[in-house]
Amino acid sequence: MLAATLSCLPLAVAIAGSPATAVHPDRWPSAHWPFPADPALEHKVAGLIAKMTVEEKVGQLIQADILSVTPDDVRKYHLGAILAGGNSKPGGALTADAKQWLALSDAFYRAAMDRHDGRPAIPLLFGIDAVHGHNNTVGATLFPQNSALGNARDPELIRQIGAATAAEVRATGINWTFAPTIAVPQDVRWGRSYEGYSQDPKLVAEYSRAMVEGLQGRVGTPQFLDNAHVIATAKHFLGDGGTKDGKDQGDAEISEQQLIDIHAAGYPPAIDAGVQTIMASFSSWNGVKMHGNKALLTDVLKQRMDFQGLLVGDWNAHGQIPGCSNTDCPIAYNAGMDMLMAPDSWKGLYEHTLAEVKSGTIPMARLDDAVARILRVKFRAGLFTAGLPSAQPLARHPDRVIGSPAHRALARRAVRESLVLLKNNGGLLPLDPRKRILVAGEGADNISRQCGGWTLTWQGTGLNNKDFPGAQSIGAGIVAQVKAAGGHAEIATDGHYTHKPDVAVVVFGEDPYAEFQGDLPNLLYRPGDDHDLELIRQLKAQGIPVVAVFLSGRPLWVNREINAADAFVAAWLPGSEGEGVADVLLRTRDGRIAHDFHGRLAYAWPRTALPGQAPPQFPLGYGLRYADHATLPPLPEVSGIHGEQVSVGNYLERGKPAHGYTASLVGADGDLVSADVSSATTGDHSLRMSAIDFHAQEDSRRLAWTSARARFTVQARSPLDLDRQTNGDVLLVTTLRVDALPGADAWVGLGCGHGCQGRVSLGPTLAGLPQGQWKRVGVPLKCFRAAGADMHHIDRPFELGAGAGTALTVFRVALGTDADQVVRCPR
């Protein structure tokens, strides 16, 4: 067992010789591992280790993803853990239900426990990102995202959400969740900000303990890690919410004291609550990658904070340590990592780690310590005696657990408590449900948008309402309550009503995203795209009062939208129970207020689009109640951002180049013609473009070739760096329709300056698509890199060429992670 504290050490522990990375363990908060000495447990662990070969020990240190590992691999390599990444589902499907998860869990369990050769049988840890409910499972209860829950300021609610999530996870045969995230985001440009409860470390500390106890059960009670609870993971250690400019996987250029006071706040409470695993961060602290920072991982976390559980890595994050690769990183193990997440690189990592243990590069004592920590977690969780996943109590009838009425009622309550009222001029809210109400906006009837990222898929994209059985959109919830009260309600996303309403509720906000895909250069909301603002103004111009309901994972600069609306509600990402919004916006049929606004801002709301500007527009803790009758005066509509704002991931929208981009037709003779119009033809008539209707009038462009040397191209005003997206397996997704394809010579490309280009053939893929039907065709960015594109310097993020006689209609081109058809990279 490790010592509880290193407070007696007089010297700082230096990293890489830099004062900026010097660590002083005695300055850090201490914690207390809440489990008393257990000689029986230690005897079992020591006895098992004594029977294990070096190969079996090394296998325990590695976690592989279900899309890259088989039950036979687990059996052969003695792997200690598997995981299902955000896009990893049984059989490679887009989504999965409980039965599919259970069948997969059973198959891996049997492999791990099958030891006909007489070797020790050691059960698997099976991890998954159940971060706002069991969000990888169709039909599960989807709770509000963490940035929403912070506004509720209700630790007991968090504890109950943790318990409900744990039950649904166990009902699918999975025993480990990578939650809670206890980052303390300081710059909400970070795409993972919505995974953090608050920018306030005190609130994060309260929630940290509550969620760990909800997921695992309370230490010392019979419920602790019983068959209705799961192993929890506090993440990401440390400083991921403090990176410079909010960059995902970036560098926290801050002092040791800031790291202690702000970013470490949630870890002592989690350890005190008995959290069994902690995940290290992708990020760096003053230039040192966290996965290799021995002073923080071992001297602070394991010794000063007395963490005696399992320290696990993030998705191939060890490969970012200088001197390491995804398949070879003894530095991480020697720094204190006990298990590395090697989703698709596990076999190479196993082979190199085994060789390094045998050579002494990784000491045997470090190996045995890591294995012991892993085995203790498995014994505490009862995995050695739990039996087949599908035979466990909650898994016998998963339909009674997953999406149960009790869990959905809890989620609906969480929605009510998380809403924050920022404006209510004239006391427009609460609304009379007996009136005529219009629900408009792109979020009105869109469950995917109200759930956000990490929902059925990694980015939460490519989904529609039928993928959410049992869930309810915000608009559907309002309509249900209005009709029940005798009023009239209709949903019209574009605001075109059949009868003039007494009031309109406009639901709008961010598209789903996860991790770096959500990183922003500033806090502008949809720069260059004002269609949400225009909808609010159009309705107001018709004399219709407007309630704006804003869906977002973080506060953004929306002063113009707040000014345009009569009332403004920050609804965050409320999850599957949209009717929780109606509960608060509407009175009862007899005129009572059943539910007042409860939420108070867990993140300060910005005055401008420049991060860190003080004072904020709405401070931390702000939130109106119905009894507050103050009128909000017009807010300043100067964003503070100068110059054109360009999206790095959206190039063609509704047939037109996105803001900051231009489009051209390039003839066979090399001459350019502007394609920023509805129709155009090159001077040599080798390529013709015309406007076509898809969802709306002239929202797509039909391209017809008479020469294979002609092409359609989108240019960026300044070069884009897409290297991070390329390493993240992002796709270039084109929404198109094949109208004519006489040959197989179509291609898509990225340009990177004069003479620099990467082209990928589309011909075989398009030939397999039904003509006349719209499809999303995705090409991995790494295919373009392999074809010669410099991903650090992309000035033409989309080029399309084809042979004579080909006709393709294009609606949208953007980066994404979901497509109907994914092109394989040429070998």
Side-chain angles (χ1 to χ4, degrees):
M1 305 290 278
L2 295 172
T5 178
L6 288 184
S7 59
C8 59
L9 291 183
L11 300 177
V13 182
I15 304 292
S18 169
T21 55
V23 175
H24 306 78
D26 58 315
R27 297 180 183 175
W28 288 71
S30 59
H32 174 66
W33 189 242
F35 302 94
D38 189 343
L41 172 61
E42 295 305 312
H43 179 74
K44 287 190 289 187
V45 169
L48 187 51
I49 289 177
K51 297 176 183 177
M52 296 171 68
T53 64
V54 174
E55 288 79 5
E56 289 167 339
K57 292 178 182 178
V58 169
Q60 289 295 303
L61 273 58
I62 293 172
Q63 184 174 39
D65 185 78
I66 61 172
L67 292 187
S68 300
V69 69
T70 66
D72 284 341
D73 291 329
V74 167
R75 184 181 294 107
K76 178 179 179 180
Y77 291 93
H78 322 287
L79 299 183
I82 58 172
L83 81 146
N87 281 335
S88 300
K89 304 295 185 297
L94 175 66
T95 59
D97 59 22
K99 291 182 179 179
Q100 291 170 303
W101 283 119
L102 282 168
L104 187 74
S105 300
D106 281 354
F108 277 107
Y109 173 84
R110 289 188 177 101
M113 302 303 284
D114 177 13
R115 286 294 175 261
H116 292 306
D117 55 5
R119 302 307 306 152
I122 302 176
L124 278 173
L125 291 169
F126 190 166
I128 199 165
D129 288 277
V131 295
H132 65 121
H134 194 10
N135 44 265
N136 286 282
T137 298
V138 171
T141 308
L142 300 173
F143 293 93
Q145 297 275 9
N146 287 353
S147 61
L149 294 175
N151 304 291
R153 297 171 182 266
D154 187 344
E156 182 54 34
L157 172 66
I158 301 307
R159 188 174 286 106
Q160 293 176 34
I161 289 173
T165 300
E168 297 202 13
V169 171
R170 286 304 290 266
T172 59
I174 298 171
N175 52 43
W176 183 13
T177 178
F178 302 133
T181 297
I182 52 175
V184 190
Q186 298 300 291
D187 187 334
V188 295
R189 289 179 293 176
W190 184 35
R192 301 193 77 159
S193 292
Y194 66 84
E195 297 184 49
Y197 294 114
S198 177
Q199 70 183 72
D200 180 1
K202 293 181 180 179
L203 180 57
V204 172
E206 290 180 2
Y207 274 25
S208 172
R209 179 171 194 128
M211 182 56 80
V212 169
E213 289 183 342
L215 290 167
Q216 295 189 164
R218 281 193 172 98
V219 174
T221 69
Q223 291 75 38
F224 179 74
L225 286 180
D226 64 6
N227 52 34
H229 290 86
V230 294
I231 296 162
T233 308
K235 66 180 189 183
H236 304 86
F237 191 86
L238 184 67
D240 51 340
T243 60
K244 183 180 180 181
D245 298 328
K247 292 293 184 182
D248 189 51
Q249 302 186 14
D251 190 9
E253 298 178 4
I254 58 178
S255 69
E256 182 185 15
Q257 199 59 50
Q258 289 173 298
L259 202 61
I260 294 170
D261 293 343
I262 298 172
H263 301 285
Y267 288 92
I271 294 168
D272 289 345
V275 69
Q276 292 296 288
T277 69
I278 290 176
M279 183 180 289
S281 178
F282 268 109
S283 60
S284 304
W285 176 50
N286 290 325
V288 179
K289 280 291 179 182
M290 199 58 59
H291 274 63
N293 195 322
K294 185 176 182 179
L296 289 176
L297 298 181
T298 297
D299 301 314
V300 169
L301 179 60
K302 288 187 171 182
Q303 296 182 356
R304 174 65 175 176
M305 291 189 181
D306 197 25
F307 176 62
Q308 297 179 33
L310 157 62
L311 183 55
V312 66
D314 208 340
W315 189 279
N316 277 332
H318 56 276
Q320 297 183 3
I321 300 173
C324 287
S325 68
N326 290 354
T327 58
D328 188 7
C329 195
I331 295 171
Y333 287 118
N334 287 337
M337 297 302 305
D338 300 310
M339 179 183 288
L340 294 183
M341 187 184 291
D344 53 0
S345 57
W346 64 268
K347 189 175 292 185
L349 182 63
Y350 172 89
E351 292 168 349
H352 280 106
T353 304
L354 179 61
E356 285 149 0
V357 169
K358 290 183 175 180
S359 71
T361 302
I362 299 174
M364 187 60 70
R366 174 77 271 268
L367 175 67
D368 284 348
D369 173 58
V371 173
R373 287 171 173 269
I374 294 166
L375 293 179
R376 289 188 194 107
V377 170
K378 292 182 177 184
F379 275 117
R380 285 193 199 100
L383 301 187
F384 283 87
T385 57
L388 196 67
S390 63
Q392 294 173 23
L394 295 184
R396 293 171 190 164
H397 301 285
D399 54 312
R400 299 178 184 175
V401 180
I402 296 170
S404 71
H407 292 170
R408 291 192 181 277
L410 177 64
R412 186 166 164 178
R413 172 190 155 202
V415 174
R416 294 195 296 264
E417 291 195 30
S418 300
L419 302 175
V420 180
L421 181 60
L422 299 181
K423 177 182 180 180
N424 191 24
N425 283 10
L428 177 60
L429 291 172
L431 302 177
D432 184 346
R434 298 167 298 179
K435 299 289 187 178
R436 188 178 296 276
I437 298 176
L438 170 70
V439 189
E442 292 182 351
D445 194 32
N446 192 321
I447 298 173
S448 173
R449 183 168 296 199
Q450 69 193 43
C451 288
W454 291 109
T455 301
L456 298 185
T457 65
W458 175 36
Q459 296 288 326
T461 56
L463 305 165
N464 54 55
N465 285 0
K466 67 179 176 59
D467 294 313
F468 299 90
Q472 192 174 41
S473 70
I474 292 171
I478 292 174
V479 169
Q481 291 196 20
V482 169
K483 288 186 176 180
H488 176 83
E490 64 175 309
I491 299 174
T493 58
D494 60 2
H496 293 157
Y497 47 79
T498 55
H499 299 283
K500 185 175 180 179
D502 298 306
V503 64
V505 178
V506 177
V507 187
F508 66 102
E510 292 187 287
D511 293 320
Y513 56 84
E515 301 190 42
F516 62 91
Q517 284 288 82
D519 283 0
L520 294 175
N522 53 55
L523 300 180
L524 289 175
Y525 169 65
R526 294 190 185 279
D529 182 356
D530 290 341
H531 74 273
D532 297 315
L533 176 62
E534 291 168 357
L535 175 59
I536 296 172
R537 287 174 172 172
Q538 287 170 9
L539 291 168
K540 283 283 292 179
Q542 297 169 50
I544 303 169
V546 174
V547 177
V549 176
F550 187 51
L551 302 174
S552 71
R554 54 197 161 191
L556 294 172
W557 188 76
V558 285
N559 280 15
R560 296 179 303 161
E561 289 81 359
I562 294 174
N563 284 343
D566 297 281
F568 194 94
V569 177
W572 312 93
L573 298 172
S576 62
E577 306 313 299
E579 195 165 354
V581 176
D583 290 342
V584 182
L585 296 189
L586 302 174
R587 293 180 181 271
T588 63
R589 68 172 69 190
D590 58 2
R592 292 181 298 105
I593 296 175
H595 300 284
D596 201 344
F597 279 90
H598 178 96
R600 293 182 291 124
L601 290 177
Y603 291 88
W605 203 277
R607 181 177 296 270
T608 73
L610 294 168
Q613 295 297 298
Q617 188 66 64
F618 302 106
L620 197 69
Y622 180 88
L624 299 176
R625 304 293 185 268
Y626 280 135
D628 299 321
H629 300 296
T631 296
L632 182 70
L635 305 179
E637 295 192 359
V638 178
S639 70
I641 301 296
H642 302 287
E644 192 169 48
Q645 302 302 305
V646 179
S647 167
V648 299
N650 192 18
Y651 310 128
L652 198 74
E653 188 70 51
R654 300 180 179 90
K656 300 177 182 179
H659 189 68
Y661 297 87
T662 60
S664 301
L665 303 182
V666 183
D669 57 5
D671 287 345
L672 276 69
V673 174
S674 173
D676 296 348
V677 292
S678 296
S679 62
T681 305
T682 60
D684 61 2
H685 300 284
S686 58
L687 181 58
R688 180 176 182 272
M689 182 182 75
S690 56
I692 298 293
D693 297 348
F694 178 23
H695 292 306
Q697 184 177 1
E698 296 190 353
D699 64 350
S700 302
R701 298 293 180 265
R702 187 177 190 269
L703 302 167
W705 282 262
T706 62
S707 169
R709 296 176 60 189
R711 66 187 189 275
F712 174 81
T713 183
V714 175
Q715 301 92 28
R717 300 285 173 84
S718 57
L720 310 173
D721 185 347
L722 300 182
D723 185 68
R724 176 69 183 87
Q725 288 86 341
T726 303
N727 293 334
D729 291 332
V730 170
L731 310 172
L732 178 69
V733 181
T734 305
T735 303
L736 56 77
R737 185 184 71 190
V738 177
D739 296 327
L741 191 71
D745 44 2
W747 56 268
V748 64
L750 300 185
C752 40
H754 181 69
C756 177
Q757 187 181 53
R759 290 187 178 183
V760 176
S761 174
L762 284 182
T765 300
L766 298 185
L769 299 180
Q771 291 195 13
Q773 294 185 20
W774 290 95
K775 296 292 181 182
R776 295 165 302 158
V777 177
V779 181
L781 291 181
K782 61 186 177 184
C783 298
F784 298 110
R785 180 171 61 187
D790 177 1
M791 305 308 292
H792 291 285
H793 195 277
I794 299 299
D795 59 358
R796 300 186 307 282
F798 180 72
E799 293 194 306
L800 184 65
T806 301
L808 304 173
T809 303
V810 180
F811 170 71
R812 186 172 190 260
V813 180
L815 299 185
T817 58
D818 183 68
D820 300 311
Q821 188 73 37
V822 177
V823 177
R824 291 189 177 184
C825 297
R827 294 185 177 181

